[in-house]
Amino acid sequence: DTAVSQTPKYLVTQMGNDKSIKCEQNLGHDTMYWYKQDSKKFLKIMFSYNNKELIINETVPNRFSPKSPDKAHLNLHINSLELGDSAVYFCASSQRFRMNSNTGELFFGEGSRLTVL
Amino acid sequence: SQQGEEDPQALSIQEGENATMNCSYKTSINNLQWYRQNSGRGLVHLILIRSNEREKHSGRLRVTLDTSKKSSSLLITASRAADTASYFCATEGEYGNKLVFGAGTILRVKS
C-alpha cells in the first residue's frame, strides 16, 4: 500500500495550458503539503492544509490553486502554465499540526515531474 | 531564502568509509530533520532531533545538533553503495507549522 500517492508521475504540456496534480494519503494524517523541487534540487514549500483548512500559503503565483476535498486528498491546479513552472512537485503529509509545536516527520509521495514546453 | 545550508554540496567516498554531512541554519528551531532522496524518488525521513537534544543515533546514522552554532551533522558509518543519494536537512522554526529544507548534499558511495 502506497502511503502518499501522486498522479500523474510525469506531465508534459505546452505553455498556457491548465493542469492538475492529485495527491492522496492513506496514513490518516491531518496535514498535507505541496513542495516544489527545482532543477537544482532546492525544495520549497508552497502550501499546507490541516484538516481541509489552508494554513500555509507561501509566495506562490495565484495561478496555483490547491484544493483539499477531504483531509486525505490535496490537489494542485495550475493555470496558464509557464516555462518556469517546470519542476518536480511533491506532496507530503504529517501526523499532527498545532501552532507552536513540532511538525513531526513528513511522508513524501514519489513526485510529479512537470515539463512545460 | 533557504533556512538550511548543507556542506559539502557533493561527497564521493569508497564503500566502508564514513560520510559526514553538515547543515547550518539561521534562526531558532523546534527540531531539525534529515531526509534521503534517491534519484527520481521522493524524500524519505531518516531522523529527527529536537532543539533540546544534542545527539541521536539510528542504526548506522548519527546526528548531532549544536544550537549555539546553529549547525547539525549527519554521520553515516560503514557506508554502502545503497547509501548513494541526496541528503537534506530540514528545520522547523520555533513557531512551528512548516519544514524548510536545505540545498542538499549529493553522496556517492563507490563499490
Side-chain angles (χ1 to χ4, degrees), chain B residues 9-105:
Chain B
Q9 290 185 332
L11 181 60
S12 183
I13 59 174
Q14 293 290 337
E15 209 166 24
E17 293 181 341
N18 295 342
T20 299
M21 288 159 268
N22 303 298
C23 170
S24 59
Y25 57 91
K26 297 175 183 174
T27 61
S28 297
I29 60 171
N30 270 340
N31 67 67
L32 185 145
Q33 303 180 32
W34 285 90
Y35 288 79
R36 184 187 76 231
Q37 183 180 31
N38 288 82
S39 180
R41 306 296 299 272
L43 282 77
V44 175
H45 180 265
L46 295 175
I47 200 163
L48 180 155
I49 186 165
R50 301 187 192 284
S51 59
N52 60 355
E53 297 176 313
R54 292 296 167 258
E55 188 170 314
K56 210 160 180 181
H57 296 254
S58 176
R60 294 184 295 113
L61 305 181
R62 173 178 167 251
V63 168
T64 61
L65 178 64
D66 186 337
T67 53
S68 67
K69 295 181 179 177
K70 291 187 169 58
S71 68
S72 173
S73 68
L74 170 67
L75 168 67
I76 304 174
T77 59
S79 62
R80 305 166 182 169
D83 294 329
T84 295
S86 293
Y87 291 82
F88 295 86
C89 70
T91 52
E92 180 186 280
E94 60 183 344
Y95 297 107
N97 87 4
K98 70 180 180 183
L99 283 183
V100 179
F101 284 80
T105 292

Side-chain angles (χ1 to χ4, degrees), chain A residues 45-97:
Chain A
I45 190 167
M46 301 173 68
F47 302 103
S48 176
Y49 271 75
N50 179 250
N51 223 351
K52 302 192 297 178
E53 179 186 352
L54 181 65
I55 54 172
I56 295 174
N57 185 351
E58 295 291 292
T59 308
V60 177
N62 57 14
R63 298 182 295 104
F64 291 78
S65 52
K67 281 191 172 54
S68 182
D70 55 62
K71 72 174 191 177
H73 295 84
L74 180 61
N75 304 322
L76 183 65
H77 187 76
I78 315 171
N79 290 326
S80 303
L81 279 157
E82 301 177 356
L83 293 177
D85 297 332
S86 294
V88 182
Y89 293 85
F90 285 98
C91 176
S93 70
S94 66
Q95 172 67 20
R96 56 207 159 106
F97 165 79

